Amino acid sequence: MQWFRLDVLGQAPIRDTHKLLSGVAMIPEATNHDLLRRFEALGNLDLSLRTRLRDAAVPLHLERGQIAFDEGSPCSAFTLITEGCVNVVKTASSGREILLYRVEPGQTCVLTLNCLLESLTYPARGIAATECHGAALPREVFMDMLDIAPGLRQMVFQSLSARIVELMGLVEEVAFNRLDERLARLLVARLNSSPGGEIQITHQELADELGSVREIVSRILGSFADREFVALERGRVQIRDAEALKTISGTG
């Protein structure tokens, strides 16, 4: 399955890569504007390259929960998210998953970059965490632009560097920190985007992010609830004592 889905004038989703990238639909002007605004390197391209980007790119649309790319699938386009979020996860043979990183507006997927540059297949899976919009640029166009646009090359290198640091942090978390510390840290981090302290997330989703199993995460959440650090409801966690969670996580 490919990174993206294309909806054109009410047609059914087009899943074949060659059809998808055949230019059946140009990106709307609003999407082009969002690309140039979200991705500074694209906005700084000269007029001829910005025009080529607009003419070659095709619309991207993913529903929440849709697989954006699957492990072992080929990569034929450079994807640019302008709205929404894609979770990149690695799945073990046992079925357990761990969140490697998220791709949000203005960010690039390093696995996509690596697969494009080295002609490899995806080593992990991408899943739309929310409804996503953006654009997909065919590989040959992306590679040509990479050769002649220093700003685009710099964006690629910076993205690779930042993700390497992020993944090193993930390895350290998994290898050296207890699960209750990691869970507390994750809940505290989610507070910034959760009005009223209510986090919309299931126990399974928390387990997937932490690379654990639901039963263990539920048990730790239960202990937090017993101490009145959180209140648990179906599909949500209400934070009652953020300072206590910060202390557990080592950030307080």
Side-chain angles (χ1 to χ4, degrees):
M1 185 172 293
Q2 298 304 314
W3 218 130
F4 36 77
R5 191 185 88 179
L6 179 63
D7 292 318
V8 184
L9 301 177
Q11 297 176 13
I14 300 175
R15 300 183 185 279
D16 180 80
T17 307
H18 299 294
K19 291 180 181 178
L20 181 60
L21 298 177
S22 63
V24 292
M26 289 174 54
I27 57 174
E29 189 56 40
T31 300
N32 185 57
H33 175 77
D34 285 344
L35 286 176
L36 302 182
R37 179 174 60 88
R38 293 283 193 180
F39 296 87
E40 183 179 355
L42 301 182
N44 291 335
L45 294 173
D46 62 39
L47 179 59
S48 63
L49 288 177
R50 294 201 306 271
T51 301
R52 188 179 184 192
L53 171 70
R54 182 199 63 201
D55 293 345
V58 294
L60 174 153
H61 177 224
L62 291 167
E63 299 291 349
R64 184 178 186 274
Q66 184 177 351
I67 295 177
F69 56 83
D70 216 345
E71 188 166 350
S73 65
C75 178
S76 56
F78 180 56
T79 48
L80 300 153
I81 297 288
T82 58
E83 181 181 341
C85 174
V86 172
N87 288 341
V88 179
V89 301
K90 182 68 175 178
T91 305
S93 57
S94 63
R96 287 174 55 183
E97 293 183 345
I98 186 168
L99 176 70
L100 299 178
Y101 57 87
R102 293 186 178 87
V103 183
E104 297 180 325
Q107 298 179 341
T108 56
C109 175
V110 293
L111 291 187
T112 295
L113 288 171
N114 188 56
C115 292
L116 288 173
L117 295 173
E118 300 295 331
S119 299
L120 301 173
T121 58
Y122 280 105
R125 171 180 292 183
I127 304 171
T130 65
E131 184 176 2
C132 297
H133 294 276
L137 191 64
R139 180 181 186 275
E140 60 273 17
V141 178
F142 169 70
M143 297 299 287
D144 286 347
M145 293 179 67
L146 202 59
D147 283 340
I148 59 179
L152 185 59
R153 287 199 300 274
Q154 183 178 10
M155 181 184 79
V156 168
F157 294 145
Q158 287 176 339
S159 177
L160 289 170
S161 175
R163 289 298 189 193
I164 288 172
V165 172
E166 185 177 339
L167 289 172
M168 287 178 64
L170 175 63
V171 171
E172 182 179 351
E173 279 271 310
V174 173
F176 303 121
N177 293 336
R178 299 199 321 261
L179 188 58
D180 61 338
E181 295 175 355
R182 295 170 56 214
L183 177 56
R185 189 174 296 116
L186 176 57
L187 293 174
V188 170
R190 287 295 186 93
L191 270 178
N192 294 331
S193 57
S194 304
E198 184 177 274
I199 303 171
Q200 302 286 335
I201 196 167
T202 67
H203 293 195
Q204 184 62 58
E205 288 169 337
L206 286 168
D208 290 343
E209 289 206 30
L210 295 169
S212 183
V213 294
R214 181 182 57 79
E215 292 79 7
I216 296 176
V217 168
S218 294
R219 187 160 61 245
I220 296 173
L221 284 172
S223 73
F224 288 172
D226 290 342
R227 288 179 280 176
E228 298 186 348
F229 300 161
V230 302
L232 304 176
E233 298 180 37
R234 185 177 181 84
R236 60 175 61 92
V237 178
Q238 179 72 43
I239 305 300
R240 288 186 170 177
D241 192 340
E243 292 304 315
L245 292 176
K246 289 178 181 178
T247 299
I248 293 172
S249 69
T251 60

